Amino acid sequence: MTLSKTQSTLAKGGLITLLLLLAGCSPKADKSLYNWDNYQTTVYQYYQGDKVGPEEQIASLKESIEKSRATNKAVPPGLHAQLGLLYANTGHTDLAFQEFNTEKRLFPESATYMDFLLKNKGKTK
């Protein structure tokens, strides 16, 4: 039994569709570029005021940085800036400067804002 040209084309199309469907069902690896970890929760806590102190927030962000290194994922945009703000608010301006400069180096699009924070670091309290 031989297939006509139309039947052969339909069979190939069906096979390709089946393969695409099966490929879509395969387990997906985590393809996130960044390790978001506790970053979003920590920023939320920052805006909630006194519910979680700055020291706990600093510890949480530093832990996220370590987890990022351990998993070979990048730290998300804004994390170093947030850490710098926390350091500035707790009187550690030298550490704040380091974090602002790290944010600026990793994410050059943040340079204008980081320069503003570096210039006005005493006013971030």
Side-chain angles (χ1 to χ4, degrees), residues 8 13 17 26 29 35 48 59-60 75 79-81 115 118 124:
S8 176
T17 302
S26 67
N35 173 32
Q48 290 298 303
S60 178
V75 172
L79 189 144
H80 287 285
D115 289 341
L118 287 163
T124 58

Side-chain angles (χ1 to χ4, degrees), residues 65 75-85 96 99-100 102-103 106-107:
I65 292 169
V75 172
L79 189 144
H80 287 285
Q82 183 67 24
L83 186 54
L85 287 172
E99 295 302 328
F100 294 152
T102 299
E103 183 76 21
L106 293 174
F107 304 100

